[in-house]
């Protein structure tokens, strides 16, 4: 069994793929985390999605995990879902608050109500994609029940699950031994300065009978008002602040329980990891990865930072100290740094545009990651910056 993980060079965004191939050279499982980019939007991400799909005409995508609904993380998703090859789409809980925030954010970020991000949100809400949509509920702040039975990702699953639920797929290695690959999503809640933006009187007419936000009604409402966009911006700033908002994101642990049976096949032309202190000491390289999107680890629930809640959950499963790769949150922003993320990681991947207005990655973040004994690796839109990891089981 072989796993190939690719951090694609899509600039300011995220597109990460994992492909499992059996001993006969057949693809048996594909997973994707995020599918969007602000760089050359949305041309660049669409190009990479097309190229990745066309590698194998029979390719199936078993699971797509989306960190959050901002345009730069999902604007390539329509091309992917429209192929009819995707089985399951995992999303953070689609609360009215999340939908309204994302819809307005994408409006401001693109300058148009009609944009790829909002198109995808609308289609998903109308269930226009031939895909099972699974929502991960917001983290409750207390911790999740580790006695909950793991769920096989290829079998019939429910429409909603608690944050921290364990999904798995089973494989057989070349020794004839069975092992399970785990996907564990954590959904950190959306934060606002005061109440819920959906309760503002301006948006009273855009809810459907179920109390959910109707994107089409929202679009019509904004376009019908002379100062519709200004009104929305003022309301948005009142609830979330004047700066762009990135306080919720669904992280994802991706790895195996029995990580010690894994050997890294280090392709020197692409990367070499065995000089890492952990890999060298333990004479193996764990394939376990933590995807973070725009995760804000320092936000708290019940006086506990989100990163500590996530760590405690993975610790109880015996997985936290097996993580050797981390996606650096929010493209290397200084506000999303937390030492805890790099306790055992030997590489921190940063998806950031070579020229972006946000100043990502932040220089202090790069230094701090290095001080934690982790090597920061920036993957931008340069095709040569692509990162590939190949593991043999």
């Amino acid at each position: 069994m072989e796993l190939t993980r690719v951090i694609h060079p899509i600039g300011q965004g995220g597109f990460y793929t994992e492909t499992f191939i059996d001993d006969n050279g057949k693809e048996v499982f594909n997973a994707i985390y995020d599918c969007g980019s602000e760089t050359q939007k949305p041309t660049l991400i669409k190009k990479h999605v097309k190229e990745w799909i066309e590698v194998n005409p029979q390719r199936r995508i078993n699971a797509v995990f989306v960190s959050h609904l901002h345009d730069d993380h999902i604007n390539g998703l329509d091309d992917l879902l429209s192929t009819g090859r995707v089985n399951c789409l995992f999303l953070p809980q689609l609360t009215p608050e999340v939908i309204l925030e994302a819809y307005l954010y994408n409006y401001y970020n693109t300058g148009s109500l009609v944009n790829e991000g909002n198109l995808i949100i609308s289609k998903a809400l109308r269930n226009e994609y031939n895909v099972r949509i699974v929502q991960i509920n917001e983290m409750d702040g207390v911790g999740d029940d580790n006695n909950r039975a793991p769920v096989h990702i290829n079998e019939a699953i429910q429409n909603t699950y608690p944050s921290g639920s364990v999904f798995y797929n089973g494989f057989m290695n070349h020794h004839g031994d069975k092992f399970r690959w785990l996907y564990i999503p954590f959904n950190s809640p959306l934060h606002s300065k005061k109440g819920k933006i959906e309760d503002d009187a301006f948006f009273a007419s855009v809810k459907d009978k179920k109390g959910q936000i109707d994107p089409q009604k929202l679009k019509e409402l904004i376009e019908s008002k002379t100062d519709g966009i200004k009104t929305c911006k003022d309301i948005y700033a009142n609830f979330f602040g004047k700066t762009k908002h990135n306080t919720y994101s669904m992280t994802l642990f991706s790895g195996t329980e029995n990580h010690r049976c894994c050997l890294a096949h280090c392709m020197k032309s692409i990367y070499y990891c065995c000089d890492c202190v952990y890999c060298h000491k333990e004479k193996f390289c764990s394939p376990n990865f933590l995807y973070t999107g725009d995760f804000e680890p320092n936000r708290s629930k019940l006086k506990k930072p989100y990163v500590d809640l996530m760590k405690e959950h993975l610790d109880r499963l015996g997985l936290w100290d097996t993580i050797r790769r981390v996606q650096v949150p929010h493209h290397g922003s200084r506000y999303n740094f937390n030492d805890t993320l790099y306790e055992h990681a030997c590489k921190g991947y940063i998806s950031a545009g070579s020229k972006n207005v946000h100043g990502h990655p932040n220089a202090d973040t790069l230094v701090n990651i290095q001080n934690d004994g982790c090597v920061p690796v920036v993957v931008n839109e340069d095709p040569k910056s692509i990162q590939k990891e190949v593991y043999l089981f």
Side-chain angles (χ1 to χ4, degrees), residues 162-229:
S163 181
S165 295
V166 179
F167 301 90
Y168 75 94
N169 200 13
F171 300 107
M172 193 83 72
N173 65 17
H174 63 284
H175 297 297
D177 300 323
K178 292 182 178 180
F179 72 98
R180 295 196 303 183
W181 191 268
L182 310 179
Y183 289 101
I184 309 176
F186 297 86
N187 179 15
S188 55
L190 177 65
H191 273 273
S192 65
K193 293 164 59 178
K194 47 170 276 187
K196 294 185 176 182
I197 189 173
E198 65 179 274
D199 293 331
D200 190 279
F202 183 78
F203 302 116
S205 64
V206 302
K207 296 182 182 179
D208 59 23
K209 294 180 180 179
K210 296 180 179 179
Q212 190 60 281
I213 299 296
D214 185 324
Q216 181 59 33
K217 289 183 179 179
L218 178 60
K219 178 177 179 292
E220 292 171 358
L221 171 68
I222 296 173
E223 291 177 337
S224 69
K225 305 293 184 181
T226 303
D227 294 324
I229 181 59

Side-chain angles (χ1 to χ4, degrees), residues 16 65 147 149 194 236 271 301 334 384:
Y16 313 91
F65 297 87
N147 294 320
K194 47 170 276 187
Y236 190 94
Y271 86 109
K301 187 85 170 179
R334 65 185 300 179
K384 294 181 181 178

Side-chain angles (χ1 to χ4, degrees), residues 78-92:
D78 187 62
D79 286 30
L80 190 68
L81 297 175
S82 296
T83 62
R85 300 187 186 190
V86 178
N87 293 344
C88 287
L89 173 63
F90 289 80
L91 298 173

Side-chain angles (χ1 to χ4, degrees), residues 14-203:
F15 184 41
Y16 313 91
T17 59
E18 295 182 348
T19 300
F20 288 86
I21 300 175
D22 66 16
D23 294 335
N24 296 317
K26 180 183 177 182
E27 284 189 8
V28 292
F29 193 85
N30 278 287
I32 293 174
Y33 184 80
D34 276 351
C35 186
S37 176
E38 186 178 279
T39 303
Q40 302 173 23
K41 57 186 176 186
T43 306
L44 184 60
I45 182 64
K46 288 176 175 288
K47 172 178 176 291
H48 279 274
V49 168
K50 184 174 184 290
E51 290 176 350
W52 185 79
I53 289 174
E54 290 180 348
V55 166
N56 181 358
Q58 305 302 318
R59 172 166 280 171
R60 295 292 306 178
I61 301 102
N62 301 78
V64 176
F65 297 87
V66 171
S67 64
H68 61 304
L69 302 177
H70 288 177
D71 189 73
D72 59 328
H73 287 256
I74 65 171
N75 61 5
L77 201 54
D78 187 62
D79 286 30
L80 190 68
L81 297 175
S82 296
T83 62
R85 300 187 186 190
V86 178
N87 293 344
C88 287
L89 173 63
F90 289 80
L91 298 173
Q93 187 177 358
L94 296 175
T95 64
E97 186 86 346
V98 162
I99 294 168
L100 183 55
E101 189 281 330
Y103 200 87
L104 295 179
Y105 178 94
N106 294 338
Y107 182 7
Y108 306 153
N109 200 43
T110 64
S112 172
L113 275 172
V114 181
N115 57 71
E116 290 287 335
N118 288 348
L119 170 69
I120 292 158
I121 294 171
S122 298
K123 283 188 173 183
L125 290 173
R126 294 194 299 266
N127 199 22
E128 290 187 11
Y129 296 114
N130 184 26
V131 59
R132 168 63 68 88
I133 295 179
V134 179
Q135 297 182 46
I136 303 299
N137 294 337
E138 293 178 345
M139 197 184 293
D140 62 12
V142 178
D144 294 283
D145 180 10
N146 286 97
N147 294 320
R148 189 183 304 112
V151 180
H152 196 293
I153 209 165
N154 280 340
E155 296 176 356
I157 56 178
Q158 303 170 17
N159 294 324
T160 61
Y161 285 91
S163 181
S165 295
V166 179
F167 301 90
Y168 75 94
N169 200 13
F171 300 107
M172 193 83 72
N173 65 17
H174 63 284
H175 297 297
D177 300 323
K178 292 182 178 180
F179 72 98
R180 295 196 303 183
W181 191 268
L182 310 179
Y183 289 101
I184 309 176
F186 297 86
N187 179 15
S188 55
L190 177 65
H191 273 273
S192 65
K193 293 164 59 178
K194 47 170 276 187
K196 294 185 176 182
I197 189 173
E198 65 179 274
D199 293 331
D200 190 279
F202 183 78
F203 302 116

